[in-house]
Amino acid sequence: MKIEEIRMEELHSGKFIEQQVHDISSVVGSGIAINALSGGVDSSAVTMLGYKALGERLKTYFIENGLMRHDEPQEIVSLFEGLGVPVEMIDAQKQFFDALKGVTDPEEKREAITRTFYRDVFARLVRESGARYLLQGTNYTDVEETVAGIKRQHNILSQLGIDTEKSYGYTVIEPLIQLRKTAIREVAKALGLPEEIYRRPPFPGPALAARIIGEVTRERVGIVRSATKIVEEALSNTRAFQYLAILHEDRVTGVRKGQRDYGFQIEIRCWDSKDAITGAPTKLPYDVLDTLAERITAEVPGVVSVTYNITHKPPSTIEAI
Ligand code: XMP
């Protein structure tokens, strides 16, 4: 790997920010750049760096792909508007659901999302905005895992031999590529982002689609979205690295009011980890698990089974697909 990591002990946030702002300004010159904000710490830090470097010549979009968490698109757009950074929301839900129709293989799902994002949605935004540059928050771990062939991270392009200039008509700038998450959190804090952003637990690029085994449909996203809301409410005070809900493909026999109910299965995962490279299941108190099972079966229509994953990473991964 040619990219060299900047380790936490070597990081000087102030200098790093200054350097990146300088680099972005010199690459983009008097041109226009665009970027997609998801609200995660990586894309948020990139948005702030880009805005510092380019001001209104940075066009920031929030791509509403239909796969985000409850109210997330509106909340993130408002938060950045509060920070003085304009963000335009693009409704691309239909494009993503059309691309995901009938797709069940995990890597094909990731590929469908990548293709829709970069080739369909972004290429059009680039054309319409006149931008020649795309800023994105690829980090050191994304590159490492993709190059190692563990998972295709949705934002890895050049490292897989994809020439974005040729394929999509724009150049990608990746200011965070030498940093891992902990270092990015430091930079995000130094950039003046609020705690809910710089402490935000990781959320994958393919969003809730990474937590659906089998076909991703609007209905199935709805189920996992409701379960996610409950899991996040119940576990946000655990200080765990990441916690999530997964919708299984197989249904199981349940019973409600004395009647057979052939329903959905939700798997909960809660991880202790430093860097997402390895992870251990958090030893959650049993009453917390009990409340989760109660709430999910009562509040998410059709769910009859809730399980807790007790596997380490490896051999598990953090997300399901
Ligand atoms: P896995 O599931 O590979 O996840 O153990 C490791 C960490 O990365 C997040 N993740 C992603 N992040 N794009 C991202 O930006 C992706 O495609 C992606 N897939 C997984 C995951 O949430 C975990 O924190």
Side-chain angles (χ1 to χ4, degrees):
M1 247 166 86
K2 273 177 273 146
I3 300 153
E4 234 176 78
E5 181 187 354
I6 302 174
R7 293 180 187 282
M8 201 47 199
E9 340 43 285
E10 302 157 355
L11 176 74
H12 298 280
S13 304
K15 270 197 211 147
F16 178 86
I17 292 168
E18 219 175 274
Q19 181 68 47
Q20 295 305 324
V21 167
H22 172 267
D23 291 355
I24 296 167
S25 306
S26 31
V27 173
V28 179
S30 57
I32 294 169
I34 68 172
N35 80 311
L37 171 69
S38 68
V41 64
D42 305 349
S43 71
S44 297
V46 163
T47 300
M48 295 308 278
L49 286 170
Y51 194 72
K52 262 181 183 290
L54 307 171
E56 303 272 312
R57 286 185 295 111
L58 176 73
K59 307 279 175 224
T60 299
Y61 299 101
F62 188 103
I63 311 298
E64 163 55 307
N65 53 16
L67 308 171
M68 302 304 281
R69 288 167 291 187
H70 191 73
D71 286 343
E72 197 167 21
Q74 297 74 13
E75 281 172 12
I76 297 299
V77 171
S78 311
L79 188 148
F80 275 80
E81 282 180 348
L83 294 168
V85 181
V87 181
E88 190 181 331
M89 178 124 59
I90 304 291
D91 185 356
Q93 297 182 64
K94 186 174 180 322
Q95 277 162 293
F96 279 90
F97 284 114
D98 284 352
L100 287 163
K101 201 168 163 46
V103 183
T104 52
D105 177 81
E107 289 296 297
E108 281 176 26
K109 249 188 247 179
R110 284 175 171 263
E111 224 215 291
I113 292 169
T114 303
R115 206 178 46 237
T116 309
F117 186 86
Y118 288 98
R119 190 196 62 191
D120 305 340
V121 179
F122 248 80
R124 180 179 67 80
L125 292 174
V126 169
R127 272 197 311 276
E128 289 175 3
S129 65
R132 293 259 333 278
Y133 300 92
L134 168 65
L135 254 86
Q136 69 170 16
T138 320
N139 67 41
Y140 193 78
T141 313
D142 295 338
V143 180
E144 206 173 47
E145 292 221 327
T146 303
V147 172
I150 296 169
K151 254 182 213 189
R152 179 203 173 96
Q153 304 285 317
H154 86 293
N155 52 6
I156 296 294
L157 300 159
S158 61
Q159 290 79 7
L160 290 174
I162 298 170
D163 180 341
T164 56
E165 193 80 67
K166 236 199 231 148
S167 313
Y168 311 126
Y170 52 74
T171 301
V172 177
I173 305 174
E174 297 169 312
L176 306 177
I177 201 148
Q178 291 175 277
L179 306 182
R180 288 189 197 272
K181 213 58 143 198
T182 329
I184 297 174
R185 291 190 193 286
E186 276 298 305
V187 170
K189 189 176 177 185
L191 281 163
L193 285 159
E195 188 168 345
E196 72 168 285
I197 297 287
Y198 70 75
R199 287 247 168 95
R200 205 171 182 84
F203 187 63
L208 295 175
R211 300 175 179 176
I212 293 176
I213 304 172
E215 191 181 4
V216 178
T217 61
R218 286 180 194 261
E219 294 69 33
R220 303 193 79 220
V221 172
I223 297 168
V224 88
R225 180 181 287 129
S226 306
T228 301
K229 187 167 187 279
I230 296 169
V231 168
E232 291 190 351
E233 280 167 11
L235 302 184
S236 64
N237 60 359
T238 57
R239 300 197 145 261
F241 177 80
Q242 205 169 347
Y243 29 86
L244 48 125
I246 291 162
L247 173 62
H248 280 243
E249 187 166 25
D250 290 343
R251 289 197 287 160
V252 289
T253 301
V255 56
R256 264 185 219 278
K257 296 186 186 143
Q259 298 274 317
R260 171 187 155 94
D261 185 359
Y262 192 52
F264 305 118
Q265 301 185 69
I266 289 287
E267 174 189 331
I268 298 164
R269 295 185 183 185
C270 182
W271 294 102
D272 291 337
S273 175
K274 271 209 178 75
D275 50 16
I277 306 280
T278 59
T282 307
K283 291 189 173 127
L284 292 175
Y286 205 87
D287 60 332
V288 172
L289 291 170
D290 211 27
T291 307
L292 277 168
E294 283 278 330
R295 281 197 62 191
I296 292 172
T297 49
E299 296 172 35
V300 187
V303 176
V304 295
S305 166
V306 176
T307 55
Y308 185 56
N309 179 46
I310 51 169
T311 321
H312 287 239
K313 174 182 179 177
S316 177
T317 56
I318 286 178
E319 305 288 347
I321 73 149

